[in-house]
Amino acid sequence: MSSRKSAQRDLTREMIMDAARDLFIVKGYQHVSMRQIAKELGYSHGAIYYHFTNKAELFYALVQKHFGMLEHKLIELAQATLAPREKLEAILLGYIEFGLNHQSHYEIMFLIKDEEVRDYLNQSPIETYELFAQTVHSLSEKQLSIQEIWSIFLSLHGFVTHYLRHVLQYEDVLDMAKAHVQFLLKGIFQS
Amino acid sequence: MSSRKSAQRDLTREMIMDAARDLFIVKGYQHVSMRQIAKELGYSHGAIYYHFTNKAELFYALVQKHFGMLEHKLIELAQATLAPREKLEAILLGYIEFGLNHQSHYEIMFLIKDEEVRDYLNQSPIETYELFAQTVHSLSEKQLSIQEIWSIFLSLHGFVTHYLRHVLQYEDVLDMAKAHVQFLLKGIFQS
DNA sequence: ACCTCATTTGAACAGTGGTCAAATAATAAT
DNA sequence: ATTATTATTTGACCACTGTTCAAATGAGGT
């Protein structure tokens, strides 16, 4: 009855990921179906399974991209021309900003406990944390121990997690975020 | 064909909640179906809908109980005979212990983002946090501001959230938890 | 014996993720 | 130009989900 699409509109992983990202951001992982994604693209849901083995793998492909984005942002902030203290502030705040401005992705990167999805998570979170830790360590002028950096990370993570659950945007909690960062840095620069 | 159960075994909210709790703890909210709960009880799934309007409401009934448990623990710790500093440590550590020893519960209380479920969440988390904040405030000998207490809470939340995702038990991360608490209290008691 | 009514059943509905034989079309080989 | 091959897409199908609801059930009151 229906005919397959012409060659130039052949379905690609990129196309699927673009459509999926939009839907995931609006509705969240659990509330997006493979059929919805396919419909958005004008294909049948079966076609997606040709390009991705399942929903989790499709989602994880998106996640990997976003870990890359977070790393990019960290590097960018670390290269800014600011005093260490300001740079450190910017990085901690930048982490929160990233988390709240990419809520669906943060959720997948750090929150989804779903076994299906977790099986696809590999080294990405670890690598990204390593970068975070090293950057913070050097900016702290060696005053922060590994353990303290880890505590800072967990504390930022708690902030993001909490407000992400309440679906608030970064702008809505900017003051709170700044105060949280100050709290975490208090004592380090004896300010 | 099948007949309704005899009067003394009439299905109650309590019975349903007990069966549901066990399943939720083992499998998590998303992977427990109403049919599974009903099967566990030897009833048809329709019967549950007579006692709970839907899955989310059933789940929330469980949540309320767990908030009660956490409050109970907080009060208990606050009444211990310890120096303020030690008491404060015990409370922060107690919070982490509760979170990691009741992972499914904590997940329900603070992590589930599902709209269906969230619609049933009312004042419980707020009330429990109020208790936490007041206790910490008085124990800090008025040295902690509202904002700082909130940051401490978020930082503890981050700790629990992270290790909960990796399904580690409290004992496995005890040293880490102690270090995290010390980090958060650093400066407050000028230690 | 009859009635009432809270409780339970199970069929039905619209949706889900995932599978797969069959259909299709672009490309390579003849 | 015709044929064979191969990558891609389709849609019926499966086993499942949460939810609804008319109908059946049976305990308690009269």
Side-chain angles (χ1 to χ4, degrees), chain B residues 2 5 11 44 46-47 50-51:
Chain B
S2 49
K5 306 299 176 295
L11 200 52
S44 74
Y50 181 78
H51 299 277

